[in-house]
Amino acid sequence: MKKKTPKRHFWRNFRFRIILALVLIGLIPFPLLFIFTIRSYESKMADKYLSSIKSSAHVLADRMAGDYYWTRQSSELTGMLSQFGNQYGGRAVVVDYSYTVIADSFGEYNDKTIVMRDINRAFSGRESGSYDRDGHFMRAAVPIYGTDGESVMAVLWTGVPTTFIDLIRNDTYDTAVMMLIATLIVIALLTYLLSFLLIRPWRRLGKTMNDISKGARDEELNIRTYNETTDISESFNMLKNRHEVLDRSRSEFVANVSHELKTPITAMKVLADSLVEMQDVPPELYQEFMRDIGGQLDRETAIIDDLLALVKLDKRSAVLRISEVNVNEMLENLIKQLGPLANVKDVSITLESHRSVTASIDEVKLSLACMNILENAIKYNNPGGSINVSLDAEEEHCVITISDTGPGIPAEDLAKVFERFYRVDKSHSGQMSGSGLGLAIARQSVEIQGGTIAIDSTEGVGTSVTIRVPLVVDSSSLESAGDKP
Ligand code: ATP
Ligand code: MG
C-alpha cells in the first residue's frame, strides 16, 4: 500500500518553527521588563513628590511652632496654609491635641474632629506619609512642636491628588507599547533573516541529495556547516557507496551469468555446425559429438541449478526450515553419497566426531554448504589424497571443519574464492569442471542461519574450511545475513 505523503502545511516548515521559537524567546522578557520599569519609575516619582510635600510641610510646621499657631491662628500663617494646599492642588489642615481642626485650607472642616492614623503617628513625634496608588492620592502629616521642642502641640496634615502620576504612567505605558511593537517588528525581521541563514545549509543538503539521487551530479555529499549536516553527508555517502558497490556487483553478476551460460551454448553450436558441415559422417563420430553436446547441456543445467540455489538463498526471499538435526548422521550420509566420486579420485574420507551434536538448524541448507565444500575437497585433491571431516560443538555453536590434502589455494586468491563465479586460474583448477558458484552457495547457506564460514589454505599442503552455525538457529538471523556480492 502506498504511503500517504503528509500535506506540506507551512507550520511544518523548519524555518517557520525557528522564527516562532526565536520571536517567542525574544518576547518573553518583555512583559517583565515592561512592568518592572513602569512600576519602579512610578514609585521613584511618588517618593520624590512625597518628600517634596513633607519638606514644605516641615518648613510651614516650624513657622507655626514659632508662632504658637495652636493657641492663635494668625491670618498670615493661615494664608500660608492655603497657599501650601494650593501649591499641591490638595487640602492642608492643622489639628490640635484634641484632634479638632483649627485650620483648613478649604475652610470646610474648621472645629471638626478628625482621627486618622497619619495624625496619630505625627502626635507620637514621627512624621508620616503614604501613597495610595489605587486611590490616586497621597497624604503626609508632620508634628508641630511646642516651645520645649519635644511635645507635639498640633499636627499639619495634607492630602493631595496624584492625577499627574497617573497621566505620566499612562504616557509611559503607551510609549512602552509602541516600543514593544517596534521591537517585535525588528525581532521578526531579524529572525526571518537569521532563519534564512540557518536553514541555508539544510536546503543545500536537500538539493544536492536530490541532484545526486536523480543522477544530475555524481559527487560526494560534503556539507559540513553543522555537525548534523556533516553526519548526514557521511551517512548519505556511505549509502551511496554501498548502492554503487551493489550496482557494480549486480552488473558483474549479470555479465558473468551471461558469459557462463553462453560458454556451453557456444560449444554446442560449434559441435552442431561441424556435424552439419561434414559429409558422410560415420555414426561413431555422430555419437561422440552428441555425447559432447549432452555434456555441455549437463553443464548448462548445473549452472542454472546453482544459480537457482543462490537465488533461493537470497535473504529477502529465503525461508528457513528449522528442525532438530543429528549433525553426525547428516555428515555420515553426505560422505556416503560422495563415496563413488571419492573412489574415482582415489581419495579417502574420514569423519572425526568429537561428540554427538544435535542442532536446531536448516538441514537442507547446511547439507548444501557441506556438500559443496566436500565436492571441492574431492575434486581438487591429489589422487591418493585424503579428507578429514571433524565435528565438534563449542560455545553454543556447531563446528564442522573439512580439511584436504590438495594443492591448496594461493594466498592472493583466498579472499576471493567465496565470490560468485570466482575460480582460481585455470592451470590450478585444471580441467575440473565448475562454475565458481559452489563456495558462494556454501557461504550464503551458512550466513543465512547466522553462522560463519572461513577458509584456510597452504599451497602444497592443503585446504581447510570451517563452518560455525549456532546450535539453535534463530529464524530472525535472516535479517542479519549479508547481502554480499
Ligand atoms: P562449482 O563448485 O560451482 O562447481 P568451483 O568448484 O570452481 O565450481 P567453488 O566451489 O566456488 O567453484 O570454488 C572456487 C574456486 O576455489 C575453485 O575454482 C578452486 O579453484 C578453488 N578451490 C575451492 N576449494 C578448493 C580446495 N579444496 N582446494 C583447492 N582449491 C579449491
Ligand atoms: Mg566447487
Side-chain angles (χ1 to χ4, degrees), residues 34-46:
F34 194 58
I35 294 167
F36 177 78
T37 315
I38 291 183
R39 278 280 160 94
S40 87
Y41 182 58
E42 184 186 343
S43 87
K44 275 212 182 84
M45 209 158 50

Side-chain angles (χ1 to χ4, degrees), residues 32-279:
L32 298 175
L33 210 68
F34 194 58
I35 294 167
F36 177 78
T37 315
I38 291 183
R39 278 280 160 94
S40 87
Y41 182 58
E42 184 186 343
S43 87
K44 275 212 182 84
M45 209 158 50
D47 283 353
K48 234 173 151 187
Y49 195 52
L50 189 62
S51 69
S52 136
I53 291 172
K54 277 187 199 162
S55 63
S56 300
H58 274 299
V59 172
L60 186 57
D62 287 351
R63 289 279 309 261
M64 286 175 165
D67 205 27
Y68 310 109
Y69 193 71
W70 60 92
T71 53
R72 59 177 183 89
Q73 290 80 44
S74 69
S75 56
E76 187 200 352
L77 281 175
T78 307
M80 281 174 81
L81 182 73
S82 304
Q83 221 178 342
F84 169 65
N86 290 342
Q87 186 189 341
Y88 293 101
R91 156 174 280 163
V93 293
V94 179
V95 180
D96 71 5
Y97 58 88
S98 62
Y99 291 90
T100 308
V101 175
I102 53 172
D104 173 10
S105 63
F106 286 0
E108 286 171 7
Y109 291 159
N110 281 336
D111 299 327
K112 292 221 167 80
T113 307
I114 301 181
V115 181
M116 272 196 282
R117 226 181 44 208
D118 292 331
I119 297 174
N120 267 344
R121 260 173 78 96
F123 269 120
S124 65
R126 284 170 294 160
E127 62 157 48
S128 90
S130 61
Y131 169 49
D132 177 358
R133 189 169 183 272
D134 299 325
H136 314 284
F137 193 72
M138 194 176 269
R139 54 181 147 249
V142 295
I144 299 171
Y145 291 102
T147 38
D148 58 1
E150 271 179 23
S151 42
V152 180
M153 304 311 290
V155 165
L156 169 58
W157 179 92
T158 180
V160 300
T162 54
T163 25
F164 84 98
I165 294 184
D166 298 340
L167 283 176
I168 293 176
R169 185 179 56 219
N170 293 345
D171 250 18
T172 320
Y173 183 84
D174 290 347
T175 319
V177 168
M178 296 292 284
M179 271 173 63
L180 181 68
I181 294 171
T183 317
L184 190 77
I185 294 170
V186 172
I187 289 182
L189 281 175
L190 281 178
T191 40
Y192 185 76
L193 278 176
L194 195 68
S195 71
F196 177 73
L197 293 177
L198 287 174
I199 222 79
R200 209 159 53 171
W202 295 104
R203 287 236 161 118
R204 225 155 24 101
L205 190 78
K207 188 175 169 345
T208 322
M209 270 185 180
N210 229 352
D211 288 353
I212 294 175
S213 336
K214 283 183 187 154
R217 283 194 204 188
D218 187 26
E219 63 204 56
E220 295 264 286
L221 190 58
N222 195 15
I223 294 175
R224 301 188 174 269
T225 324
Y226 307 127
N227 288 340
E228 288 84 354
T229 52
T230 309
D231 291 349
I232 293 179
S233 296
E234 279 167 8
S235 304
F236 181 83
N237 289 337
M238 264 158 65
L239 193 75
K240 181 172 168 269
N241 290 342
R242 192 172 133 78
H243 180 78
E244 280 168 0
V245 168
L246 280 177
D247 205 43
R248 221 175 299 130
S249 83
R250 204 161 294 151
S251 321
E252 267 172 30
F253 181 64
V254 170
N256 285 337
V257 169
S258 324
H259 174 80
E260 291 301 319
L261 290 177
K262 248 178 104 177
T263 314
I265 290 174
T266 317
M268 284 188 273
K269 170 101 174 113
V270 171
L271 288 166
D273 282 354
S274 38
L275 271 185
V276 170
E277 275 162 26
M278 277 192 265
Q279 279 165 10

Side-chain angles (χ1 to χ4, degrees), residues 301-416:
T301 313
I303 297 172
I304 290 170
D305 284 348
D306 281 355
L307 282 173
L308 285 176
L310 261 180
V311 170
K312 277 194 205 144
L313 287 170
D314 186 282
K315 69 165 179 172
R316 278 172 289 254
S317 50
V319 183
L320 283 179
R321 291 185 211 289
I322 313 286
S323 60
E324 285 270 302
V325 178
N326 182 326
V327 188
N328 304 63
E329 274 175 24
M330 186 197 88
L331 289 174
E332 275 165 27
N333 283 337
L334 278 182
I335 292 170
K336 209 181 285 168
Q337 277 175 45
L338 288 167
L341 193 68
N343 287 342
V344 173
K345 276 288 304 220
D346 189 20
V347 170
S348 62
I349 308 178
T350 48
L351 175 62
E352 185 189 341
S353 283
H354 293 275
R355 65 193 80 211
S356 165
V357 181
T358 310
S360 291
I361 49 166
D362 186 322
E363 183 173 12
V364 175
K365 293 190 176 63
L366 189 63
S367 302
L368 190 65
C370 294
M371 178 74 106
N372 272 296
I373 294 160
L374 270 170
E375 259 175 19
N376 284 351
I378 299 169
K379 194 158 71 170
Y380 302 109
N381 217 325
N382 300 316
S386 66
I387 298 168
N388 182 60
V389 181
S390 100
L391 168 65
D392 203 351
E394 59 182 45
E395 287 169 20
E396 297 172 3
H397 279 85
C398 157
V399 186
I400 302 168
T401 309
I402 299 168
S403 316
D404 65 56
T405 54
I409 301 169
E412 64 268 25
D413 295 298
L414 209 55
K416 296 188 198 148

Side-chain angles (χ1 to χ4, degrees), residues 275 280-291:
L275 271 185
D280 304 326
V281 187
E284 304 83 54
L285 199 63
Y286 247 112
Q287 271 179 350
E288 192 191 327
F289 274 35
M290 288 316 280
R291 247 197 316 276

